[in-house]
Amino acid sequence: MGSAEPTVEVTLKGAPDGMPETVLVRRAELAADRLKIPYMAGYEHFVPLEDLSGVPEDGAVFVWCDRTKFAE
C-alpha cells in the first residue's frame, strides 16, 4: 500500500524526432538542473527554458541541450 511518487508534466522543445512533446517526470528528478530522459540507445538531456525556483508545476518547458550514449 505505497503511495505513488508525485509527477509533473513537462513540455520538451527541440527533442529528437519521435520523442513525445510532453512527458511525466517524477518531482525528485527535477531537483537537478537538467532532465535526463532515456531514449533509443542513450539519454536526451533537457534544461529548463526559464529559471525555476523550486519544483515547477505542470506545464514547465524544457529545451533539449545534449545527448549521451548508454554505457557499455
Short mmCIF file of all heavy atoms in Angstrom, two decimals:
data_model
loop_
_atom_site.label_atom_id
_atom_site.label_comp_id
_atom_site.label_asym_id
_atom_site.label_seq_id
_atom_site.Cartn_x
_atom_site.Cartn_y
_atom_site.Cartn_z
N MET A 1 0.81 -1.19 0.00
CA MET A 1 0.00 0.00 0.00
C MET A 1 0.85 1.25 0.00
O MET A 1 0.74 2.10 0.84
CB MET A 1 -0.88 0.02 1.23
CG MET A 1 -2.21 -0.55 0.89
SD MET A 1 -3.61 0.02 1.66
CE MET A 1 -3.71 0.39 3.16
N GLY A 2 1.77 1.38 -0.95
CA GLY A 2 2.60 2.57 -1.04
C GLY A 2 1.91 3.63 -1.87
O GLY A 2 1.04 3.36 -2.67
N SER A 3 2.32 4.84 -1.62
CA SER A 3 1.76 5.92 -2.42
C SER A 3 2.68 6.18 -3.59
O SER A 3 3.90 6.09 -3.47
CB SER A 3 1.57 7.18 -1.57
OG SER A 3 2.82 7.61 -1.10
N ALA A 4 2.10 6.51 -4.71
CA ALA A 4 2.89 6.80 -5.90
C ALA A 4 3.61 8.12 -5.71
O ALA A 4 3.10 9.05 -5.11
CB ALA A 4 1.98 6.85 -7.12
N GLU A 5 4.83 8.17 -6.24
CA GLU A 5 5.60 9.42 -6.16
C GLU A 5 4.94 10.46 -7.06
O GLU A 5 4.57 10.16 -8.19
CB GLU A 5 7.03 9.15 -6.59
CG GLU A 5 7.92 10.34 -6.36
CD GLU A 5 9.38 10.05 -6.64
OE1 GLU A 5 9.74 8.89 -6.89
OE2 GLU A 5 10.15 11.00 -6.64
N PRO A 6 4.82 11.69 -6.59
CA PRO A 6 4.18 12.73 -7.40
C PRO A 6 4.95 12.99 -8.69
O PRO A 6 6.18 12.94 -8.71
CB PRO A 6 4.20 13.97 -6.51
CG PRO A 6 4.57 13.51 -5.16
CD PRO A 6 5.23 12.19 -5.29
N THR A 7 4.21 13.30 -9.74
CA THR A 7 4.82 13.59 -11.03
C THR A 7 4.41 14.97 -11.51
O THR A 7 3.44 15.54 -11.03
CB THR A 7 4.42 12.55 -12.10
OG1 THR A 7 3.00 12.54 -12.22
CG2 THR A 7 4.93 11.16 -11.76
N VAL A 8 5.18 15.47 -12.47
CA VAL A 8 4.92 16.76 -13.08
C VAL A 8 4.96 16.55 -14.59
O VAL A 8 5.85 15.86 -15.10
CB VAL A 8 6.00 17.80 -12.68
CG1 VAL A 8 5.81 19.11 -13.41
CG2 VAL A 8 5.99 18.02 -11.18
N GLU A 9 4.00 17.14 -15.31
CA GLU A 9 4.03 17.06 -16.77
C GLU A 9 4.86 18.23 -17.30
O GLU A 9 4.63 19.37 -16.93
CB GLU A 9 2.62 17.12 -17.34
CG GLU A 9 2.61 16.98 -18.85
CD GLU A 9 1.22 16.97 -19.42
OE1 GLU A 9 0.54 18.01 -19.33
OE2 GLU A 9 0.81 15.92 -19.94
N VAL A 10 5.86 17.90 -18.13
CA VAL A 10 6.69 18.95 -18.71
C VAL A 10 6.65 18.85 -20.23
O VAL A 10 6.41 17.78 -20.79
CB VAL A 10 8.16 18.88 -18.23
CG1 VAL A 10 8.25 19.07 -16.73
CG2 VAL A 10 8.81 17.58 -18.62
N THR A 11 6.87 19.98 -20.89
CA THR A 11 6.92 20.05 -22.34
C THR A 11 8.37 20.05 -22.76
O THR A 11 9.20 20.76 -22.17
CB THR A 11 6.23 21.34 -22.84
OG1 THR A 11 4.87 21.31 -22.42
CG2 THR A 11 6.29 21.46 -24.35
N LEU A 12 8.69 19.25 -23.79
CA LEU A 12 10.06 19.15 -24.30
C LEU A 12 10.15 19.87 -25.64
O LEU A 12 9.41 19.55 -26.57
CB LEU A 12 10.46 17.68 -24.47
CG LEU A 12 10.34 16.81 -23.22
CD1 LEU A 12 10.67 15.36 -23.57
CD2 LEU A 12 11.23 17.32 -22.10
N LYS A 13 11.06 20.82 -25.76
CA LYS A 13 11.28 21.55 -27.00
C LYS A 13 12.61 21.13 -27.61
O LYS A 13 13.59 20.94 -26.88
CB LYS A 13 11.31 23.07 -26.75
CG LYS A 13 10.01 23.62 -26.22
CD LYS A 13 8.97 23.63 -27.29
CE LYS A 13 7.71 24.32 -26.79
NZ LYS A 13 6.64 24.27 -27.73
N GLY A 14 12.65 20.98 -28.91
CA GLY A 14 13.89 20.64 -29.60
C GLY A 14 14.28 19.19 -29.47
O GLY A 14 15.41 18.81 -29.78
N ALA A 15 13.35 18.37 -29.03
CA ALA A 15 13.63 16.94 -28.85
C ALA A 15 13.84 16.26 -30.20
O ALA A 15 13.32 16.72 -31.22
CB ALA A 15 12.48 16.27 -28.11
N PRO A 16 14.60 15.16 -30.23
CA PRO A 16 14.78 14.42 -31.47
C PRO A 16 13.44 13.91 -32.01
O PRO A 16 12.49 13.73 -31.25
CB PRO A 16 15.66 13.23 -31.06
CG PRO A 16 16.30 13.64 -29.79
CD PRO A 16 15.35 14.58 -29.13
N ASP A 17 13.39 13.70 -33.31
CA ASP A 17 12.18 13.16 -33.94
C ASP A 17 11.77 11.86 -33.25
O ASP A 17 12.62 11.03 -32.93
CB ASP A 17 12.42 12.88 -35.42
CG ASP A 17 12.53 14.17 -36.23
OD1 ASP A 17 12.07 15.22 -35.75
OD2 ASP A 17 13.08 14.11 -37.34
N GLY A 18 10.50 11.73 -33.02
CA GLY A 18 9.97 10.51 -32.42
C GLY A 18 9.74 10.60 -30.93
O GLY A 18 9.00 9.81 -30.36
N MET A 19 10.40 11.55 -30.26
CA MET A 19 10.18 11.72 -28.81
C MET A 19 8.85 12.42 -28.60
O MET A 19 8.47 13.27 -29.40
CB MET A 19 11.28 12.56 -28.17
CG MET A 19 12.50 11.77 -27.78
SD MET A 19 13.56 12.71 -26.65
CE MET A 19 12.84 12.26 -25.08
N PRO A 20 8.15 12.10 -27.53
CA PRO A 20 6.91 12.81 -27.24
C PRO A 20 7.18 14.28 -26.90
O PRO A 20 8.27 14.63 -26.46
CB PRO A 20 6.35 12.07 -26.02
CG PRO A 20 7.50 11.37 -25.42
CD PRO A 20 8.48 11.10 -26.52
N GLU A 21 6.18 15.12 -27.12
CA GLU A 21 6.33 16.55 -26.82
C GLU A 21 6.12 16.85 -25.34
O GLU A 21 6.61 17.86 -24.84
CB GLU A 21 5.36 17.37 -27.65
CG GLU A 21 5.69 17.37 -29.12
CD GLU A 21 4.74 18.23 -29.93
OE1 GLU A 21 3.95 19.01 -29.35
OE2 GLU A 21 4.78 18.13 -31.16
N THR A 22 5.40 15.98 -24.66
CA THR A 22 5.21 16.13 -23.22
C THR A 22 5.51 14.80 -22.54
O THR A 22 5.26 13.73 -23.12
CB THR A 22 3.79 16.58 -22.85
OG1 THR A 22 2.86 15.62 -23.32
CG2 THR A 22 3.47 17.95 -23.43
N VAL A 23 6.05 14.87 -21.35
CA VAL A 23 6.34 13.66 -20.57
C VAL A 23 6.01 13.92 -19.11
O VAL A 23 5.99 15.07 -18.66
CB VAL A 23 7.83 13.23 -20.69
CG1 VAL A 23 8.17 12.80 -22.09
CG2 VAL A 23 8.76 14.32 -20.22
N LEU A 24 5.74 12.86 -18.39
CA LEU A 24 5.58 12.92 -16.94
C LEU A 24 6.91 12.54 -16.31
O LEU A 24 7.49 11.51 -16.66
CB LEU A 24 4.50 11.96 -16.47
CG LEU A 24 3.06 12.33 -16.76
CD1 LEU A 24 2.12 11.22 -16.29
CD2 LEU A 24 2.69 13.64 -16.08
N VAL A 25 7.40 13.37 -15.41
CA VAL A 25 8.64 13.06 -14.70
C VAL A 25 8.37 13.14 -13.21
O VAL A 25 7.50 13.88 -12.75
CB VAL A 25 9.78 14.02 -15.09
CG1 VAL A 25 10.16 13.85 -16.55
CG2 VAL A 25 9.44 15.45 -14.80
N ARG A 26 9.12 12.34 -12.46
CA ARG A 26 8.98 12.39 -11.00
C ARG A 26 9.51 13.72 -10.49
O ARG A 26 10.51 14.24 -10.99
CB ARG A 26 9.75 11.24 -10.36
CG ARG A 26 9.17 9.88 -10.73
CD ARG A 26 10.02 8.81 -10.17
NE ARG A 26 11.40 9.07 -10.65
CZ ARG A 26 12.41 8.25 -10.51
NH1 ARG A 26 12.27 7.14 -9.88
NH2 ARG A 26 13.60 8.56 -10.98
N ARG A 27 8.85 14.25 -9.52
CA ARG A 27 9.26 15.54 -8.96
C ARG A 27 10.71 15.49 -8.48
O ARG A 27 11.45 16.48 -8.61
CB ARG A 27 8.33 15.95 -7.83
CG ARG A 27 6.93 16.29 -8.33
CD ARG A 27 6.01 16.67 -7.20
NE ARG A 27 6.18 18.03 -6.75
CZ ARG A 27 5.64 19.10 -7.33
NH1 ARG A 27 4.91 18.95 -8.41
NH2 ARG A 27 5.83 20.30 -6.84
N ALA A 28 11.16 14.36 -7.96
CA ALA A 28 12.53 14.23 -7.48
C ALA A 28 13.54 14.43 -8.60
O ALA A 28 14.65 14.91 -8.37
CB ALA A 28 12.72 12.86 -6.83
N GLU A 29 13.18 14.06 -9.84
CA GLU A 29 14.09 14.23 -10.97
C GLU A 29 14.33 15.69 -11.29
O GLU A 29 15.30 16.04 -11.95
CB GLU A 29 13.53 13.54 -12.22
CG GLU A 29 13.50 12.03 -12.13
CD GLU A 29 12.91 11.41 -13.37
OE1 GLU A 29 13.52 11.59 -14.45
OE2 GLU A 29 11.86 10.78 -13.27
N LEU A 30 13.45 16.57 -10.85
CA LEU A 30 13.56 17.99 -11.16
C LEU A 30 14.45 18.73 -10.17
O LEU A 30 14.67 19.92 -10.31
CB LEU A 30 12.18 18.62 -11.21
CG LEU A 30 11.26 18.04 -12.29
CD1 LEU A 30 9.87 18.61 -12.16
CD2 LEU A 30 11.82 18.28 -13.67
N ALA A 31 14.99 18.02 -9.20
CA ALA A 31 15.88 18.66 -8.23
C ALA A 31 17.20 19.06 -8.87
O ALA A 31 17.83 20.02 -8.47
CB ALA A 31 16.12 17.73 -7.05
N ALA A 32 17.62 18.32 -9.90
CA ALA A 32 18.85 18.65 -10.61
C ALA A 32 18.56 19.79 -11.58
O ALA A 32 17.42 20.18 -11.79
CB ALA A 32 19.36 17.42 -11.37
N ASP A 33 19.60 20.33 -12.19
CA ASP A 33 19.41 21.45 -13.11
C ASP A 33 19.06 21.01 -14.52
O ASP A 33 18.95 21.83 -15.42
CB ASP A 33 20.65 22.34 -13.13
CG ASP A 33 21.88 21.60 -13.60
OD1 ASP A 33 21.86 20.36 -13.67
OD2 ASP A 33 22.88 22.29 -13.91
N ARG A 34 18.90 19.70 -14.73
CA ARG A 34 18.53 19.21 -16.06
C ARG A 34 17.79 17.89 -15.95
O ARG A 34 17.91 17.20 -14.95
CB ARG A 34 19.75 19.06 -16.96
CG ARG A 34 20.78 18.07 -16.47
CD ARG A 34 21.92 17.78 -17.44
NE ARG A 34 22.47 18.96 -18.06
CZ ARG A 34 23.21 18.93 -19.16
NH1 ARG A 34 23.51 17.80 -19.73
NH2 ARG A 34 23.69 20.03 -19.69
N LEU A 35 17.03 17.56 -16.99
CA LEU A 35 16.35 16.26 -17.08
C LEU A 35 17.20 15.35 -17.94
O LEU A 35 17.78 15.78 -18.94
CB LEU A 35 14.98 16.42 -17.75
CG LEU A 35 13.92 17.17 -17.00
CD1 LEU A 35 12.66 17.26 -17.87
CD2 LEU A 35 13.61 16.52 -15.69
N LYS A 36 17.24 14.09 -17.58
CA LYS A 36 17.97 13.07 -18.33
C LYS A 36 16.95 11.97 -18.66
O LYS A 36 16.54 11.22 -17.78
CB LYS A 36 19.11 12.53 -17.47
CG LYS A 36 19.93 11.45 -18.11
CD LYS A 36 21.04 11.06 -17.14
CE LYS A 36 21.73 9.79 -17.54
NZ LYS A 36 22.75 9.40 -16.56
N ILE A 37 16.53 11.92 -19.93
CA ILE A 37 15.45 11.02 -20.32
C ILE A 37 15.99 9.93 -21.24
O ILE A 37 16.58 10.23 -22.29
CB ILE A 37 14.33 11.81 -21.03
CG1 ILE A 37 13.79 12.88 -20.07
CG2 ILE A 37 13.23 10.88 -21.51
CD1 ILE A 37 12.77 13.80 -20.66
N PRO A 38 15.82 8.65 -20.86
CA PRO A 38 16.28 7.57 -21.75
C PRO A 38 15.49 7.57 -23.05
O PRO A 38 14.27 7.72 -23.05
CB PRO A 38 16.02 6.29 -20.95
CG PRO A 38 15.23 6.67 -19.76
CD PRO A 38 15.18 8.15 -19.66
N TYR A 39 16.22 7.41 -24.16
CA TYR A 39 15.57 7.38 -25.47
C TYR A 39 16.50 6.68 -26.44
O TYR A 39 17.68 7.01 -26.52
CB TYR A 39 15.25 8.80 -25.95
CG TYR A 39 14.52 8.83 -27.27
CD1 TYR A 39 13.21 8.39 -27.35
CD2 TYR A 39 15.14 9.26 -28.42
CE1 TYR A 39 12.52 8.40 -28.55
CE2 TYR A 39 14.47 9.29 -29.63
CZ TYR A 39 13.16 8.84 -29.69
OH TYR A 39 12.48 8.85 -30.88
N MET A 40 15.95 5.72 -27.17
CA MET A 40 16.72 4.92 -28.12
C MET A 40 17.94 4.33 -27.40
O MET A 40 17.78 3.71 -26.39
CB MET A 40 17.10 5.73 -29.35
CG MET A 40 15.93 6.37 -30.07
SD MET A 40 14.90 5.23 -31.00
CE MET A 40 15.82 5.09 -32.49
N ALA A 41 19.15 4.55 -27.87
CA ALA A 41 20.35 3.95 -27.28
C ALA A 41 21.12 4.94 -26.42
O ALA A 41 22.34 4.87 -26.31
CB ALA A 41 21.25 3.40 -28.38
N GLY A 42 20.41 5.88 -25.81
CA GLY A 42 21.11 6.86 -24.99
C GLY A 42 20.15 7.67 -24.14
O GLY A 42 19.03 7.26 -23.88
N TYR A 43 20.64 8.81 -23.71
CA TYR A 43 19.85 9.74 -22.90
C TYR A 43 19.78 11.07 -23.61
O TYR A 43 20.78 11.56 -24.14
CB TYR A 43 20.50 9.97 -21.54
CG TYR A 43 20.54 8.75 -20.66
CD1 TYR A 43 21.70 8.00 -20.54
CD2 TYR A 43 19.42 8.34 -19.94
CE1 TYR A 43 21.76 6.89 -19.73
CE2 TYR A 43 19.46 7.23 -19.14
CZ TYR A 43 20.63 6.50 -19.03
OH TYR A 43 20.67 5.39 -18.23
N GLU A 44 18.62 11.68 -23.60
CA GLU A 44 18.44 13.04 -24.09
C GLU A 44 18.40 13.94 -22.86
O GLU A 44 17.73 13.64 -21.87
CB GLU A 44 17.15 13.16 -24.90
CG GLU A 44 17.06 12.23 -26.09
CD GLU A 44 18.15 12.42 -27.12
OE1 GLU A 44 18.72 13.52 -27.23
OE2 GLU A 44 18.45 11.44 -27.83
N HIS A 45 19.15 15.03 -22.91
CA HIS A 45 19.25 15.95 -21.78
C HIS A 45 18.51 17.24 -22.11
O HIS A 45 18.64 17.77 -23.23
CB HIS A 45 20.72 16.26 -21.47
CG HIS A 45 21.50 15.04 -21.11
ND1 HIS A 45 21.71 14.65 -19.81
CD2 HIS A 45 22.12 14.11 -21.88
CE1 HIS A 45 22.43 13.53 -19.79
NE2 HIS A 45 22.69 13.19 -21.04
N PHE A 46 17.79 17.75 -21.13
CA PHE A 46 16.99 18.96 -21.29
C PHE A 46 17.23 19.88 -20.10
O PHE A 46 17.39 19.42 -18.98
CB PHE A 46 15.50 18.61 -21.35
CG PHE A 46 15.12 17.79 -22.54
CD1 PHE A 46 15.25 16.41 -22.54
CD2 PHE A 46 14.62 18.40 -23.69
CE1 PHE A 46 14.89 15.65 -23.64
CE2 PHE A 46 14.26 17.64 -24.80
CZ PHE A 46 14.40 16.27 -24.77
N VAL A 47 17.24 21.18 -20.37
CA VAL A 47 17.36 22.20 -19.31
C VAL A 47 16.09 23.04 -19.32
O VAL A 47 15.43 23.17 -20.34
CB VAL A 47 18.61 23.09 -19.51
CG1 VAL A 47 19.88 22.27 -19.34
CG2 VAL A 47 18.59 23.77 -20.86
N PRO A 48 15.76 23.65 -18.17
CA PRO A 48 14.55 24.48 -18.13
C PRO A 48 14.69 25.70 -19.04
O PRO A 48 15.75 26.29 -19.14
CB PRO A 48 14.43 24.90 -16.67
CG PRO A 48 15.64 24.43 -15.98
CD PRO A 48 16.42 23.57 -16.89
N LEU A 49 13.60 26.06 -19.69
CA LEU A 49 13.59 27.22 -20.57
C LEU A 49 13.81 28.50 -19.78
O LEU A 49 14.47 29.42 -20.23
CB LEU A 49 12.27 27.28 -21.34
CG LEU A 49 12.10 28.44 -22.32
CD1 LEU A 49 13.15 28.36 -23.42
CD2 LEU A 49 10.72 28.43 -22.92
N GLU A 50 13.24 28.56 -18.60
CA GLU A 50 13.43 29.74 -17.75
C GLU A 50 13.82 29.28 -16.36
O GLU A 50 13.67 28.11 -16.01
CB GLU A 50 12.17 30.59 -17.70
CG GLU A 50 10.92 29.83 -17.39
CD GLU A 50 9.67 30.66 -17.60
OE1 GLU A 50 9.55 31.29 -18.65
OE2 GLU A 50 8.83 30.66 -16.69
N ASP A 51 14.36 30.18 -15.59
CA ASP A 51 14.82 29.86 -14.24
C ASP A 51 13.64 29.33 -13.42
O ASP A 51 12.59 29.96 -13.35
CB ASP A 51 15.41 31.10 -13.58
CG ASP A 51 15.95 30.79 -12.20
OD1 ASP A 51 16.46 29.67 -11.99
OD2 ASP A 51 15.87 31.68 -11.33
N LEU A 52 13.85 28.17 -12.84
CA LEU A 52 12.82 27.57 -11.99
C LEU A 52 13.29 27.66 -10.55
O LEU A 52 14.30 27.09 -10.20
CB LEU A 52 12.60 26.10 -12.36
CG LEU A 52 12.17 25.81 -13.79
CD1 LEU A 52 12.15 24.32 -14.04
CD2 LEU A 52 10.81 26.41 -14.06
N SER A 53 12.58 28.39 -9.76
CA SER A 53 12.91 28.42 -8.34
C SER A 53 12.04 27.36 -7.68
O SER A 53 10.84 27.50 -7.59
CB SER A 53 12.65 29.80 -7.75
OG SER A 53 11.34 30.22 -8.01
N GLY A 54 12.68 26.28 -7.28
CA GLY A 54 11.95 25.16 -6.72
C GLY A 54 11.47 24.22 -7.80
O GLY A 54 11.95 24.25 -8.94
N VAL A 55 10.52 23.39 -7.47
CA VAL A 55 10.00 22.40 -8.41
C VAL A 55 8.87 23.02 -9.22
O VAL A 55 7.95 23.61 -8.66
CB VAL A 55 9.49 21.16 -7.65
CG1 VAL A 55 8.88 20.15 -8.59
CG2 VAL A 55 10.63 20.52 -6.87
N PRO A 56 8.96 22.91 -10.56
CA PRO A 56 7.93 23.54 -11.39
C PRO A 56 6.59 22.82 -11.30
O PRO A 56 6.51 21.66 -10.95
CB PRO A 56 8.49 23.41 -12.80
CG PRO A 56 9.36 22.22 -12.74
CD PRO A 56 9.94 22.21 -11.35
N GLU A 57 5.56 23.55 -11.63
CA GLU A 57 4.22 22.97 -11.72
C GLU A 57 4.07 22.36 -13.11
O GLU A 57 4.93 22.52 -13.97
CB GLU A 57 3.17 24.07 -11.52
CG GLU A 57 3.23 24.71 -10.15
CD GLU A 57 2.97 23.72 -9.02
OE1 GLU A 57 2.09 22.84 -9.18
OE2 GLU A 57 3.64 23.83 -7.99
N ASP A 58 2.95 21.65 -13.34
CA ASP A 58 2.67 21.11 -14.66
C ASP A 58 2.79 22.23 -15.69
O ASP A 58 2.40 23.37 -15.43
CB ASP A 58 1.26 20.52 -14.72
CG ASP A 58 1.17 19.16 -14.04
OD1 ASP A 58 2.22 18.57 -13.72
OD2 ASP A 58 0.05 18.69 -13.84
N GLY A 59 3.32 21.89 -16.83
CA GLY A 59 3.42 22.84 -17.92
C GLY A 59 4.79 23.49 -18.06
O GLY A 59 5.00 24.28 -18.97
N ALA A 60 5.73 23.18 -17.19
CA ALA A 60 7.08 23.73 -17.32
C ALA A 60 7.66 23.29 -18.67
O ALA A 60 7.36 22.20 -19.15
CB ALA A 60 7.97 23.27 -16.18
N VAL A 61 8.49 24.14 -19.25
CA VAL A 61 9.08 23.85 -20.56
C VAL A 61 10.57 23.60 -20.40
O VAL A 61 11.27 24.39 -19.76
CB VAL A 61 8.84 25.02 -21.55
CG1 VAL A 61 9.50 24.74 -22.88
CG2 VAL A 61 7.35 25.27 -21.71
N PHE A 62 11.04 22.52 -21.00
CA PHE A 62 12.46 22.17 -21.00
C PHE A 62 12.94 22.09 -22.44
O PHE A 62 12.21 21.64 -23.32
CB PHE A 62 12.69 20.83 -20.29
CG PHE A 62 12.60 20.93 -18.80
CD1 PHE A 62 11.38 21.06 -18.17
CD2 PHE A 62 13.74 20.91 -18.02
CE1 PHE A 62 11.27 21.16 -16.80
CE2 PHE A 62 13.66 21.00 -16.64
CZ PHE A 62 12.43 21.13 -16.03
N VAL A 63 14.18 22.53 -22.68
CA VAL A 63 14.76 22.60 -24.01
C VAL A 63 15.90 21.60 -24.12
O VAL A 63 16.74 21.51 -23.22
CB VAL A 63 15.28 24.02 -24.30
CG1 VAL A 63 15.89 24.11 -25.68
CG2 VAL A 63 14.16 25.03 -24.14
N TRP A 64 15.94 20.87 -25.24
CA TRP A 64 16.98 19.88 -25.47
C TRP A 64 18.34 20.57 -25.48
O TRP A 64 18.50 21.66 -26.04
CB TRP A 64 16.75 19.17 -26.80
CG TRP A 64 17.77 18.11 -27.09
CD1 TRP A 64 17.70 16.81 -26.73
CD2 TRP A 64 18.98 18.26 -27.81
NE1 TRP A 64 18.81 16.13 -27.16
CE2 TRP A 64 19.62 17.01 -27.84
CE3 TRP A 64 19.62 19.34 -28.44
CZ2 TRP A 64 20.85 16.80 -28.46
CZ3 TRP A 64 20.84 19.12 -29.04
CH2 TRP A 64 21.44 17.87 -29.05
N CYS A 65 19.36 19.93 -24.86
CA CYS A 65 20.69 20.53 -24.86
C CYS A 65 21.80 19.54 -25.19
O CYS A 65 22.89 19.97 -25.58
CB CYS A 65 20.98 21.19 -23.51
SG CYS A 65 21.09 20.06 -22.13
N ASP A 66 21.57 18.24 -25.06
CA ASP A 66 22.68 17.29 -25.25
C ASP A 66 22.14 15.87 -25.35
O ASP A 66 21.01 15.59 -24.95
CB ASP A 66 23.63 17.39 -24.05
CG ASP A 66 24.96 16.74 -24.26
OD1 ASP A 66 25.34 16.46 -25.43
OD2 ASP A 66 25.67 16.49 -23.26
N ARG A 67 22.99 14.97 -25.84
CA ARG A 67 22.68 13.55 -25.91
C ARG A 67 23.90 12.78 -25.48
O ARG A 67 25.02 13.13 -25.83
CB ARG A 67 22.31 13.15 -27.33
CG ARG A 67 22.08 11.65 -27.48
CD ARG A 67 21.65 11.28 -28.89
NE ARG A 67 21.57 9.86 -29.06
CZ ARG A 67 20.65 9.05 -28.54
NH1 ARG A 67 19.71 9.56 -27.79
NH2 ARG A 67 20.65 7.77 -28.76
N THR A 68 23.70 11.75 -24.66
CA THR A 68 24.78 10.85 -24.28
C THR A 68 24.34 9.43 -24.57
O THR A 68 23.14 9.14 -24.59
CB THR A 68 25.16 11.00 -22.80
OG1 THR A 68 24.00 10.82 -21.98
CG2 THR A 68 25.77 12.37 -22.52
N LYS A 69 25.31 8.55 -24.79
CA LYS A 69 25.01 7.15 -25.08
C LYS A 69 25.02 6.36 -23.78
O LYS A 69 25.68 6.73 -22.82
CB LYS A 69 26.03 6.57 -26.04
CG LYS A 69 25.97 7.20 -27.41
CD LYS A 69 26.95 6.54 -28.34
CE LYS A 69 26.84 7.15 -29.71
NZ LYS A 69 27.76 6.52 -30.66
N PHE A 70 24.28 5.24 -23.78
CA PHE A 70 24.32 4.31 -22.65
C PHE A 70 25.74 3.79 -22.51
O PHE A 70 26.43 3.56 -23.50
CB PHE A 70 23.38 3.12 -22.86
CG PHE A 70 21.91 3.46 -22.84
CD1 PHE A 70 21.04 2.85 -23.72
CD2 PHE A 70 21.39 4.36 -21.94
CE1 PHE A 70 19.68 3.13 -23.70
CE2 PHE A 70 20.03 4.66 -21.90
CZ PHE A 70 19.18 4.04 -22.79
N ALA A 71 26.18 3.57 -21.28
CA ALA A 71 27.49 2.96 -21.03
C ALA A 71 27.43 1.49 -21.46
O ALA A 71 26.42 0.82 -21.29
CB ALA A 71 27.84 3.07 -19.56
N GLU A 72 28.50 1.03 -22.00
CA GLU A 72 28.53 -0.38 -22.44
C GLU A 72 29.19 -1.26 -21.44
O GLU A 72 30.02 -0.94 -20.71
CB GLU A 72 29.26 -0.49 -23.78
CG GLU A 72 28.48 0.21 -24.86
CD GLU A 72 29.13 0.01 -26.23
OE1 GLU A 72 29.89 -0.95 -26.41
OE2 GLU A 72 28.87 0.84 -27.08
#
